[in-house]
Amino acid sequence: MKLRSYMLIGFLLSLFLSIVPFSGNFTNAATPTAVAPVSALSFTQGVQKTVLDNGLTVLTKEVHTAPVVSVQVWYKVGSRNEVKGENGISHQLEHLMFKGTTDRPVQFGRLFSALGSQFNAFTSYDETAYFGTVQRDKLEALLTLEADRMENSLVGPEQLTSEKRVVISELQGYENSPGYRLSRAVMRDAFPSRAYGLPVGGTKSDVEKFTVEQVRNYYKTYYSPENATLVITGDFATEPVLKVVKETFGKLSQRAKKDRESYDALDNASRALDHFLASYSIVDASSSTPTPVTKKAPIVLKQPGSAAILQAVYPLPDIKHPDVPAIDVMDAILTGGRSSRLYQALVESGLASSVSGGAAELIEPGWYEINATAAPGQELGKIAQVLQESLAKLQQEPVTTEELNRAKTQLQASYILGNQDITSQASQLGYNQTVAGDYRFIERYLAAIAKVTPAQVQQVAKTYLNPAKQTIGFFEPTQPDGKPGTSNAGSSRTVENFSPGKPVDPAELAKYLPPATSATDSGKQSLPEEFTLNNGLRVLLLTDRNLPTINLSGQIDAGTEFDGNQKAGLANLTANNLMNGTQTKNALTLAKTLEDRGADLNFGASREGASISGQGLSANLPILIQTLADVLENATFPADQLELSRQRALTSLKVQLDDPRGLGRQVFQQAIYPENHPFHSFPTFESLKSITRDDLLGFYQTHYRPDNTTIALVGDFDPVKVKVLLNQAFGKWQATGKPPVLKISSVPLPQTSTRLNKVIPGKAEAVTYIGYNGIARKDPRFYAALVLNQILGGDTLSSRLGTEVRDRQGLTYGIYSAFAAGINPGPFLIQMQTAPGDTQKAIASTLALLKQLREQGVSEAEFNAAKRSITNSYPVDLANPSDVSSIILDNAVLGLSRSEIRDFPQRIQAVTMAQMQQVIADFIKPENLVIVTAGPGDTVPKGG
């Protein structure tokens, strides 16, 4: 089975508010003709498996497409292994694995950042994994660090106390999501006596009670070589690297195999019962007369929230069961793209704003899950009825050949497109080895996918979509009108003063940093070819023959900055309606044109442009380009589809105003930019309802022009043939007159500090934004600002903000800073998530850090370390073709040179300390901040 990204709960950047499956969300699908099996050789060819004497499984795969390597350690332990009273201990331990070791008593995030590693970790049901991707000369250093924390991690009272607060902040952040709360209730009801029925991240009540001895014992029990898989992919030579692995990991001893077996035995009896019940509940698929069933009553949550949500869960077998390929084909038929059955039945009918599904096939019997968000005014009971009718039809009638082939291609293409970078390839190997027990599992799986028949799909639908075993839940919001949070007047000053600790000395950090082997030359990056068609459309091409894939990025100068307050949302509605029909194809035909060939094309609107993103196998580039040209030139904006997309936009707005992140960001931005400024404009219920089809046509005809459009293509193609293709597809697209130009006025900083609070009922965590207007990308100070940001809050573990507010005080799950620099200046902002009682402390600490930075500046060592971190990390971005296409496009749209993709590291290295001091003087102004908090109403002390 493929890597189930929806099951990952990362502690660092992967902040998921809901653990729900989205494997049915992709829009690539199958050809109408017979589908040949996709060769899995590209995934497993060249993989060498080595088992060390201590039991550690090592998987190595040389991939010499870029000078980077990925190192991942997968432990076969997750929430499945937790017994009563310790829900979340796997996740808690994951956090503690970054707190340092006996030999390196320093935050490991700082060490990884110093190496330029793009790193993260996650806990799931069956596994906990740690991964980092770096330049190839840092490989040995990563191996040394991972081996060190496998055996010597610090799990002490100080580390546990601070990280408990962080974990609880994370869990309370999930509580902000109605979808998470519904999923938790449904899963507990579906699996009342199984660990799979509990949240992977844990429960606050259990986390609060964890003891040092308890967590240490768990660490010693499961973090042992024979219970782990080390995966290394990328640009290295296998034999020398295996020698290093044996020198680092090989000396680690097996610690607790017997302890682990006895630990697991505590739960074996209930698991055996669950296995029996799961198999016993399967209906006889050959029976022509279904047995009468008694459905469980729906679980109903009536709580503060926005949109109404449905979730249905059905028990499934484990990952090794022979029905798994047919189950996944069934899922693709039901939820895989716009042409899927449930999308057509629920979304195209206007009942739901969205629908998704996915199969959780795990070490133990898992489940199939369907999620739907109701459209405004629609009843969940009606959605449940139509859902059941759709499932019954699948059970009663064989699927068509067209549907079957589309689903197969959807699944097969997703593996190729999802494994274009070495980090994803390593994750695929680690997942299959850990959960399926064999890294080659994917070979058998893809071969089986190709052989699935209509009869098998019908059989698994009968067997597993059993109404008697269904658990269904309804979230019914008590604020269906979706009104934004109310204001809670707060003080313009904080009530506490904090003295931040001294910034971490890079020289002190260097004592614990393993050496790199040699320097890596990153100056060999190929540059894109650029040309302009006769109609003004700008194109950038970069050939990459390593994989048979195409990655397309594009932008049209048709962003939300052209909306205005009265028609706010117009740019987004226009972009979202492009695929709803052209002069020769309706919406379903357009969807099938792409999905039948495993291709994907999406549009959206951001602040400064309408974005285009597309992916596909290289053989289908002509279809991708022809479809893109058709919708850009010939979109018709059918009235019925406009109404459906309007309803979806209204639902999205409700969800945004009910989310502290969404509402907080809107209030923050509108406090920075005056009402007549384009960046002040955000959709309202009134503006969305006022937009007409004529408005869309007018916006489309005015802004969608070839001389307003830039396209970047990266992948496996012949540039000469692509130029011919582009000229043929876009040759008739012409524009008259000059394109619209928007003059955006500069915005001064606030005269004084501004404090705003928005209360959203029913929330557990607050989100705070701090900042003011910043700079444009072409501002000569940008590179110095980027280095400054890296020091201040570019990483939640290694930055000053992360070190003080998250790591030392444990006040937040995540705190970051950023310059949103575009064609025009965007905000400089700091974002953090806190418990209501910690919000004021976190804000006060942040202000103290900004004052410290303003008054004391940065040290030479800190300055140089930040530059190295940025430049060392940059090659990792260039190792992913999808990222490269986005970088090339952004550079072009922002008016930068084609060579910027190659010159960027040198521009960072060229920043001087004098320039750094200047950007501190220009942009660190604690007395002028806008501070906005959204969430529970008790974040500002009374009398403050």
Side-chain angles (χ1 to χ4, degrees):
M1 255 304 296
K2 59 183 173 293
L3 179 66
R4 297 292 184 175
S5 60
Y6 70 84
M7 297 189 301
L8 316 184
I9 298 188
F11 85 100
L12 181 58
L13 296 176
S14 308
L15 177 58
F16 289 95
L17 292 181
S18 171
I19 311 169
V20 293
F22 290 107
S23 60
N25 260 5
F26 32 60
T27 54
N28 352 340
T31 58
T33 55
V35 179
V38 171
S39 171
L41 290 178
S42 59
F43 304 115
T44 59
Q45 188 175 33
V47 176
Q48 181 172 324
K49 179 180 177 182
T50 306
V51 180
L52 304 188
D53 291 341
N54 60 9
L56 178 71
T57 298
V58 183
L59 301 177
T60 53
K61 180 183 180 182
E62 295 183 27
V63 186
H64 302 288
T65 56
V68 296
V69 290
S70 187
V71 173
Q72 304 189 7
V73 180
W74 290 64
Y75 295 94
K76 192 175 181 179
V77 60
S79 61
R80 176 182 70 92
N81 303 90
E82 297 165 2
V83 297
K84 186 177 181 181
E86 63 176 24
N87 180 217
I89 195 169
S90 304
H91 178 229
Q92 180 70 75
L93 179 56
E94 174 217 316
H95 279 242
L96 290 168
M97 288 287 283
F98 285 84
K99 300 296 278 188
T101 64
T102 50
D103 290 339
R104 295 180 174 85
V106 62
Q107 166 58 252
F108 263 44
R110 293 180 208 138
L111 297 175
F112 293 137
S113 181
L115 292 172
S117 176
Q118 293 189 8
F119 66 96
N120 211 324
F122 69 82
T123 304
S124 190
Y125 298 99
D126 295 332
E127 75 275 12
T128 308
Y130 303 82
F131 50 97
T133 303
V134 293
Q135 293 184 91
R136 61 187 171 207
D137 57 300
K138 313 297 191 307
L139 170 57
E140 195 168 324
L142 269 192
L143 292 171
T144 300
L145 293 174
E146 289 295 354
D148 187 17
R149 65 175 174 174
M150 180 178 281
E151 187 164 80
N152 304 310
S153 281
L154 290 172
V155 182
E158 182 183 346
Q159 292 84 9
L160 182 58
T161 298
S162 70
E163 214 57 32
K164 268 188 185 183
R165 293 186 74 177
V166 172
V167 167
I168 289 170
S169 173
E170 178 183 354
L171 297 179
Q172 294 296 93
Y174 299 150
E175 293 289 331
N176 281 354
S177 165
Y180 174 82
R181 302 200 298 271
L182 178 64
S183 179
R184 182 181 57 195
V186 169
M187 291 296 290
R188 281 178 175 171
D189 191 75
F191 305 108
S193 59
R194 297 182 60 194
Y196 283 166
L198 295 173
V200 172
T203 55
K204 181 181 178 182
S205 58
D206 279 3
V207 170
E208 287 174 332
K209 296 173 188 172
F210 291 154
T211 65
V212 171
E213 181 182 20
Q214 191 179 13
V215 181
R216 275 182 186 160
N217 287 340
Y218 202 79
Y219 172 59
K220 291 177 181 177
T221 300
Y222 289 105
Y223 279 57
S224 188
E226 78 283 1
N227 198 46
T229 297
L230 169 66
V231 187
I232 308 168
T233 57
D235 191 18
F236 64 91
T238 300
E239 291 310 314
V241 165
L242 283 177
K243 183 180 177 183
V244 175
V245 168
K246 289 170 184 174
E247 290 170 353
T248 51
F249 286 89
K251 63 185 180 183
L252 306 181
S253 58
Q254 293 188 4
R255 295 215 302 269
K257 189 172 183 179
K258 290 182 180 178
D259 291 346
R260 186 167 61 252
E261 289 170 352
S262 60
Y263 207 102
D264 288 342
L266 293 172
D267 226 18
N268 277 351
S270 64
R271 287 178 187 154
L273 177 62
D274 288 322
H275 277 274
F276 171 74
L277 292 174
S279 59
Y280 186 78
S281 67
I282 294 173
V283 266
D284 180 5
S286 61
S287 172
S288 58
T289 307
T291 306
V293 296
T294 304
K295 292 185 186 178
K296 289 194 289 184
I299 298 162
V300 179
L301 297 187
K302 294 187 177 183
Q303 298 174 355
S306 50
I309 305 169
L310 173 150
Q311 182 179 59
V313 166
Y314 305 83
L316 287 184
D318 61 66
I319 191 170
K320 294 182 181 180
H321 195 283
D323 283 348
V324 160
I327 290 169
D328 288 350
V329 172
M330 175 192 75
D331 170 46
I333 289 169
L334 285 173
T335 66
R338 187 167 189 169
S339 62
S340 66
R341 290 195 176 191
L342 291 184
Y343 191 97
Q344 290 294 312
L346 296 175
V347 180
E348 291 288 357
S349 69
L351 286 173
S353 290
S354 64
V355 64
S356 63
E361 290 131 348
L362 309 171
I363 290 176
E364 296 178 14
W367 63 92
Y368 183 64
E369 183 173 334
I370 298 171
N371 300 275
T373 301
Q378 298 295 336
E379 296 293 327
L380 292 173
K382 177 63 175 176
I383 293 174
Q385 177 189 337
V386 174
L387 169 63
Q388 186 53 51
E389 290 170 356
S390 299
L391 300 184
K393 184 177 180 182
L394 188 64
Q395 295 168 331
Q396 294 158 8
E397 302 172 11
V399 298
T400 65
T401 303
E402 179 188 6
E403 284 181 298
L404 183 70
N405 290 339
R406 184 183 303 127
K408 290 180 181 181
T409 300
Q410 177 181 26
L411 288 166
Q412 294 172 342
S414 71
Y415 281 94
I416 298 174
L417 295 169
N419 284 282
Q420 295 186 82
D421 62 288
I422 63 162
T423 303
S424 299
Q425 291 178 40
S427 296
Q428 184 72 65
L429 294 170
Y431 181 83
N432 284 325
Q433 182 65 35
T434 304
V435 178
D438 183 3
Y439 73 90
R440 293 163 301 193
F441 177 80
I442 188 175
E443 299 173 10
R444 301 190 300 275
Y445 172 78
L446 289 175
I449 287 289
K451 295 176 182 176
V452 170
T453 65
Q456 288 174 317
V457 174
Q458 186 177 9
Q459 179 177 332
V460 295
K462 288 180 179 179
T463 302
Y464 301 109
L465 302 181
N466 179 359
K469 299 302 294 181
Q470 177 198 67
T471 304
I472 192 166
F474 296 163
F475 180 89
E476 297 180 353
T478 55
Q479 293 171 281
D481 55 356
K483 288 181 179 176
T486 57
S487 293
N488 178 1
S491 170
S492 61
R493 54 191 171 85
T494 55
V495 296
E496 300 179 72
N497 290 303
F498 283 88
S499 297
K502 289 179 64 177
V504 175
D505 182 2
E508 180 71 16
L509 196 65
K511 294 192 308 185
Y512 306 115
L513 202 62
T517 53
S518 61
T520 296
D521 178 15
S522 58
K524 295 180 180 178
Q525 171 63 40
S526 300
L527 299 183
E529 177 186 358
E530 182 174 353
F531 58 92
T532 302
L533 301 186
N534 291 334
N535 58 10
L537 190 149
R538 187 159 54 142
V539 180
L540 297 107
L541 301 180
L542 184 62
T543 302
D544 181 349
R545 299 288 195 178
N546 291 306
L547 285 169
T549 60
I550 295 296
N551 294 275
L552 182 151
S553 298
Q555 180 163 312
I556 304 139
D557 298 339
T560 60
E561 62 188 5
F562 288 105
D563 276 356
N565 292 327
Q566 298 303 312
K567 297 290 182 180
L570 176 58
N572 251 311
L573 272 181
T574 304
N576 292 338
N577 274 271
L578 288 172
M579 293 292 290
N580 282 339
T582 66
Q583 292 172 11
T584 57
K585 294 182 175 73
N586 63 19
L588 184 57
T589 304
L590 280 171
K592 288 182 177 179
T593 298
L594 295 170
E595 293 173 4
D596 283 350
R597 293 166 176 83
D600 181 19
L601 185 62
N602 293 294
F603 299 87
S606 59
R607 193 174 69 208
E608 294 183 327
S611 63
I612 308 166
S613 62
Q615 274 193 324
L617 303 181
S618 50
N620 295 311
L621 177 59
I623 291 293
L624 196 62
I625 293 296
Q626 289 159 9
T627 304
L628 174 61
D630 191 19
V631 298
L632 290 182
E633 298 177 48
N634 304 309
T636 54
F637 303 99
D640 58 339
Q641 289 290 344
L642 169 58
E643 289 311 310
L644 290 174
S645 63
R646 189 199 313 276
Q647 295 305 308
R648 292 194 289 271
L650 290 168
T651 301
S652 296
L653 180 57
K654 284 184 181 181
V655 172
Q656 177 188 334
L657 297 177
D658 185 55
D659 182 346
R661 294 171 304 172
L663 178 61
R665 180 59 190 266
Q666 176 175 329
V667 173
F668 171 73
Q669 192 146 323
Q670 290 185 326
I672 295 173
Y673 300 103
E675 193 169 342
N676 61 351
H677 194 283
F679 295 175
H680 183 93
S681 174
F682 279 83
T684 64
F685 295 107
E686 292 73 24
S687 69
L688 288 173
K689 290 174 181 176
S690 75
I691 294 170
T692 66
R693 180 174 178 271
D694 285 343
D695 290 328
L696 263 67
L697 283 168
F699 191 88
Y700 174 68
Q701 291 161 0
T702 302
H703 297 284
Y704 282 70
R705 308 163 47 108
D707 53 353
N708 259 359
T709 303
T710 305
I711 294 172
L713 272 173
V714 175
D716 180 24
F717 54 76
D718 179 341
V720 175
K721 292 180 179 177
V722 169
K723 289 178 186 177
V724 172
L725 175 63
L726 291 169
N727 276 301
Q728 289 174 342
F730 291 101
K732 295 180 182 178
W733 191 22
Q734 300 293 327
T736 58
K738 292 185 178 180
V741 177
L742 197 63
K743 185 173 176 59
I744 297 182
S745 56
S746 60
V747 175
L749 294 182
Q751 293 298 306
T752 59
S753 181
T754 303
R755 183 82 163 91
L756 300 170
N757 295 280
K758 284 289 184 177
V759 178
I760 310 178
K763 300 305 171 188
E765 287 278 292
V767 174
T768 298
Y769 292 89
I770 301 173
Y772 30 60
N773 193 37
I775 58 173
R777 176 61 177 86
K778 289 189 75 173
D779 190 305
R781 299 168 295 178
F782 173 78
Y783 299 100
L786 210 56
V787 177
L788 169 63
N789 186 70
Q790 180 70 18
I791 294 169
L792 176 62
D795 184 288
T796 199
L797 291 185
S798 63
S799 64
R800 285 195 181 187
L801 287 170
T803 297
E804 178 69 21
V805 184
R806 183 200 190 279
D807 206 41
R808 190 174 77 83
Q809 298 187 49
L811 295 174
T812 177
Y813 167 54
I815 183 168
Y816 312 92
S817 65
F819 283 90
I823 299 170
N824 297 287
F828 162 71
L829 58 89
I830 297 167
Q831 177 186 348
M832 68 178 100
Q833 172 188 302
T834 54
D838 291 337
T839 300
Q840 278 304 111
K841 295 176 186 176
I843 292 172
S845 296
T846 299
L847 297 184
L849 278 165
L850 291 173
K851 290 173 183 174
Q852 179 191 67
L853 181 60
R854 173 81 181 191
E855 294 164 3
Q856 301 175 20
V858 301
S859 69
E860 192 80 34
E862 193 178 20
F863 172 64
N864 290 328
K867 293 201 291 185
R868 281 196 303 271
S869 180
I870 295 170
T871 56
N872 286 342
S873 176
Y874 186 64
V876 179
D877 293 328
L878 302 183
N880 187 332
S882 178
D883 289 347
V884 170
S885 71
S886 296
I887 292 170
I888 289 171
L889 174 75
D890 289 345
N891 288 342
V893 168
L894 292 165
L896 304 172
S897 164
R898 276 191 310 128
S899 63
E900 175 69 16
I901 192 171
R902 177 187 289 170
D903 298 342
F904 175 78
Q906 287 72 41
R907 297 189 192 281
I908 292 293
Q909 287 294 356
V911 174
T912 66
M913 180 60 86
Q915 291 171 325
M916 168 62 63
Q917 291 166 342
Q918 186 61 53
V919 296
I920 290 174
D922 291 347
F923 297 116
I924 303 301
K925 298 184 180 292
E927 63 279 3
N928 302 109
L929 291 165
V930 172
I931 304 172
V932 173
T933 298
D938 50 355
T939 58
V940 178
K942 293 179 180 178

